[in-house]
Each structure stands twice: as structure tokens, then as C-alpha cells.
Amino acid sequence: MTVVSSIYCLPSDILDEGPSCVIKNVIERAGVSGVTVAAAYHASSDVYPHNPLRVVATTDPGVFYRSDGAGYVDDGLQPTASITAAGRDVLEEACSAGGRFGVKVSAWVVFLHRDDLKLGSSAFQVNCFGDRLVGSICPANPRVRRYVLAMTKELCSYPISTLRAESLHYHGVLHGSHHERCLERLGEVTMLLLGLCFCMSCRSRAAREGLDVSRLVERCKRYVRGVLDAPGLSVSSSNGELPADTDIDDLLAYMRVRAATVTSLASEVSEMSLRLGVRLTFVDQTIPMSSFATGSGFCPENDISCWKLGVDQGSLARSGVTVEAPVYLAQAAEFQSAIDWYRQRVPDTDGLSIVLRPGRPDIGSDGELTEKIAYGVAAGCGEINFYAYGLYRLHALDSIKVALARAGVPPDV
């Protein structure tokens, strides 16, 4: 089986090191023939071990390609160029260098996390209390869906091989806005209910499926308020089990509507990109949501992780969407359990792509990376990608090349 690989790159990698330097390192040191470049990204601040211009780099949100705005009906959602790009077209620079070196370039796009929008935007998710979840725009909103398709069309006009769609789903109440705080331990159920979107678009979709949404909203509010008003320091249901007094049938039905909303949007994006000659992968954040910082914490038996995002991996795969899973887990047993969990949901494992981190907290040695690559190959994963070029020392690229060879994966160049 042929296994292809790509390395994720942040905008500062291309801006500061230059596309030719990045691509030469990817080819020569990592031994792969693909680079995945952030073309639309949220605000971030990162430490870059080998960046020649700075060690700590802050990225302003926005797009890193030229958007003419012609295909956008709603000016309120039209993408804006990131100030960090300083007028440069990062995606075009990468594609041009990729063509010279024979490297496939993919566009990495954060679609529905828009921390550059004004606080009053009506596109944001709205929870059961009517609170806007700033930074997270709703996949059920028709305006948002038109914006996603317009951006897809723009990006597919570039000579890219793959569109890697991150944030093409719902988000929980704590997703990554600036300086988020929740000091009380409220439990997973409470945090799930606080993050469910009940905007008018979501309500309409659920009502068409016969759900009494107003009744469900009141039940969610009553449950959350009961937790917030409870005396003492301990909170029940922190183990992720739904409380007995919750109308489980209505809640599960609402989860199915959310998942169908996400799947239908991903399917539309995939169909459009394929018509334009570009493959789509759906970057599933189910595991990173709990394990990004530590390399642990994902529990395959806990459906709440998927419910928060509205992601049904099996439904996505059956609709023809390639699922790309960042498996950010340190322990071999947890990693293998997660791969097996995905195999159960994605029937055609050739349609499963995975992302590994070649360093801490996931990897402590080349042997550990080799073992994970080999397990992914044995599981039938047709694509094994790596995150992220600039966030690790250059030695991490050498580790990728060594691990791929030891795992019996031919050089992808």
C-alpha cells in the first residue's frame, strides 16, 4: 500500500524562513513530498525553535492568500487578510516553490473559528441561555455555509492537491478564545450543554425533524442552573454520564441533527472541491480537544467528545469525505486504542488519514514514532501527516525520516 505524507506549516514558517527553505527541509530532512500550508488561520502565539527572525511569534487572524471578495454575498463574513501576512500571498509563494521542487502543496483552512469577527455578529453560535459563543460561527447558518463554499472555491483556484478543512464543525463553550476562564469544575455534561448551539438556524433544522426545541432548551437551562446553584465544591456527572433526569431521547435526537448538519456541510465542500480538482480532508478535532496539551485524556467510550463538535466520523466517511484524525496521544496503548476506535467508525480505512506529532508530549524517541507509524500503516491509513514544521527543533524532521524508513514506508519523494 502506498502511504503519502505531508508536514503542516504555519504562516510564520513561510513568511520568515521562506518557502524554498521550508520545502528543502521537508524533502531532504523529513523525506516527504508534501507541505500543508495554513491559508486561513486564527490568532495564535507560538515559540519557534528554528525560526531565523524571531523565537516568539504572534499571528493575527485572517487569510494568507489573496481573497478578492467577489464570491461573498455577506460582507460581514468576508475573509480579511491577516496583518501578519504584510500583503504577501503565503499560499501562492508555497505553491510556486512547490512546483519548482516537485512537492505537493495542501491548503490548511480553519473555517468556522473566526476570532476576527465583531462581537455582535449574528453568525456566532448561541447557547441555551442566549449567550453568543464568540469566535465560533455556526455550521447550520445558511450565511455561514455560503461563506464556506465561497472560500472553498477561492482556495481551489490555487494549484493545491488537498484542502485540509479544520473547524468545519460546531465548537464547545471553551474552544480557544483569548484568556478563557472557567474556574469551577462543572463536569462534562454541564460543559456540553453550555456549548450546544440553539441559534435560529439550529432550532429550525431540529424543528423540521419533529423536535420540541423550546422544551429541550428549558431542560438544558434547568440542568445547568442546578449545577451552578449547587452548594459545596463537588459536582456530580463530572464523569461524562448523562443525568437520569435528562430527556435522553430528545438530547440524542438533537445530537443527530447536529451531526447531520456537519456532515452535509462537509459533503458539499468535498463535492465542490472535487469538481475543481482538489481533494478534501475533514480534520477531526475529537482527540486534540482533550489531549493537545498533554498527549493524554482521550476516552473512546465517551461520546461527549464527538457530541461537542457534532462530528459523526462514520457518517462523514459514508458521504465520501476523507476523515483526517490528529492522533495526539503519547502512550502506545492509547494511540492504538484510538486508531482501532477510528477503524470501527470509518469502514474504508484507506479513507482515513492521520496526523502525528514528532516530538513532545507525544514522542520521546525515534522508536516511539516508528511504532506509531507502523501501527497506522498496518491499520490501513493511506496518509500519515506530521504537525508542525516550525514548532519543533529541526531534529524532529530527521526523526520523521528515520521513523518512516524503520516502519518500512518508502521515501515519499
Side-chain angles (χ1 to χ4, degrees):
M1 183 184 72
T2 301
V3 177
V4 297
S5 296
S6 179
I7 294 181
Y8 277 74
C9 299
L10 289 164
S12 291
D13 297 328
I14 304 297
L15 291 167
D16 296 350
E17 293 192 23
S20 294
C21 177
V22 171
I23 288 175
K24 285 181 69 176
N25 278 332
V26 165
I27 295 172
E28 296 171 4
R29 301 193 69 156
V32 304
S33 65
V35 290
T36 294
V37 179
Y41 208 65
H42 52 71
S44 65
S45 183
D46 301 289
V47 175
Y48 288 82
H50 57 85
N51 188 301
L53 300 184
R54 45 195 169 169
V55 176
V56 178
T58 298
T59 301
D60 283 295
V63 299
F64 293 84
Y65 68 93
R66 297 205 191 283
S67 173
D68 61 15
Y72 295 90
V73 177
D74 190 332
D75 290 338
L77 290 176
Q78 181 177 332
T80 57
S82 170
I83 296 172
T84 304
R88 291 169 60 181
D89 188 331
V90 172
L91 183 58
E92 191 282 327
E93 290 182 23
C95 288
S96 178
R100 293 195 302 272
F101 287 94
V103 167
K104 292 180 179 178
V105 175
S106 300
W108 171 19
V109 188
V110 175
F111 275 111
L112 303 185
H113 180 173
R114 289 289 303 272
D115 47 9
D116 58 328
L117 295 184
K118 293 181 180 179
L119 300 183
S121 174
S122 60
F124 289 136
Q125 293 179 208
V126 179
N127 72 6
C128 60
F129 291 99
D131 307 323
R132 285 194 173 102
L133 304 186
V134 175
S136 300
I137 57 178
C138 179
N141 188 316
R143 296 167 51 219
V144 171
R145 295 169 79 93
R146 289 194 295 268
Y147 145 78
V148 168
L149 292 173
M151 179 177 277
T152 298
K153 186 175 181 180
E154 276 191 330
L155 288 163
C156 291
S157 69
Y158 284 78
I160 59 174
S161 63
T162 304
L163 183 65
R164 303 194 190 279
E166 183 180 339
S167 186
L168 197 59
H169 48 66
Y170 290 96
H171 299 110
V173 64
L174 297 181
H175 175 68
S177 295
H178 297 295
H179 301 291
E180 290 175 328
R181 285 183 285 263
C182 180
L183 301 186
E184 290 275 12
R185 295 185 61 186
L186 301 178
E188 284 198 81
V189 172
T190 303
M191 299 306 286
L192 167 69
L193 300 182
L194 271 177
L196 291 185
C197 184
F198 288 103
C199 72
M200 292 308 300
S201 298
C202 286
R203 285 172 178 252
S204 296
R205 282 179 172 258
R208 288 198 295 270
E209 297 300 319
L211 274 70
D212 186 341
V213 184
S214 297
R215 179 171 174 265
L216 179 59
V217 167
E218 290 305 314
R219 285 173 175 270
C220 290
K221 289 168 66 174
R222 185 162 61 249
Y223 177 80
V224 172
R225 181 51 64 189
V227 172
L228 297 178
D229 292 343
L233 298 177
S234 62
V235 175
S236 62
S237 75
S238 61
N239 60 358
E241 295 181 1
L242 291 169
D245 61 348
T246 298
D247 190 330
I248 187 65
D249 290 336
D250 278 0
L251 188 58
L252 290 179
Y254 198 68
M255 298 305 170
R256 287 192 289 271
V257 172
R258 284 163 55 88
T261 297
V262 170
T263 296
S264 66
L265 178 58
S267 181
E268 290 176 29
V269 175
S270 180
E271 289 172 5
M272 172 176 278
S273 64
L274 285 174
R275 286 198 302 269
L276 298 172
V278 177
R279 168 175 167 265
L280 176 91
T281 66
F282 180 99
V283 182
D284 177 18
Q285 293 294 322
T286 298
I287 292 176
M289 185 169 55
S290 58
S291 69
F292 188 89
T294 63
S296 65
F298 173 66
C299 176
E301 289 77 29
N302 186 359
D303 290 329
I304 287 181
S305 296
C306 296
W307 290 347
K308 286 179 180 178
L309 304 181
V311 172
D312 181 335
Q313 294 83 4
S315 177
L316 286 164
R318 287 189 295 274
S319 71
V321 176
T322 297
V323 177
E324 182 163 350
V327 190
Y328 299 159
L329 295 167
Q331 298 299 318
E334 287 187 61
F335 175 86
Q336 293 172 10
S337 177
I339 295 293
D340 294 345
W341 180 80
Y342 268 104
R343 288 184 65 186
Q344 293 172 8
R345 283 155 178 76
V346 180
D348 177 10
T349 49
D350 286 343
L352 178 63
S353 170
I354 62 173
V355 188
L356 305 179
R357 294 189 291 194
R360 302 286 186 182
D362 298 350
I363 302 296
S365 68
D366 291 347
E368 292 177 5
L369 184 58
T370 300
E371 183 179 357
K372 289 179 178 177
I373 292 173
Y375 198 86
V377 171
C381 300
E383 186 174 13
I384 299 177
N385 301 314
F386 301 92
Y387 175 95
Y389 174 87
L391 301 186
Y392 289 104
R393 286 170 283 187
L394 283 172
H395 169 73
L397 300 183
D398 303 327
S399 298
I400 292 171
K401 190 172 187 177
V402 169
L404 286 169
R406 288 178 176 173
V409 178
D412 186 25
V413 293

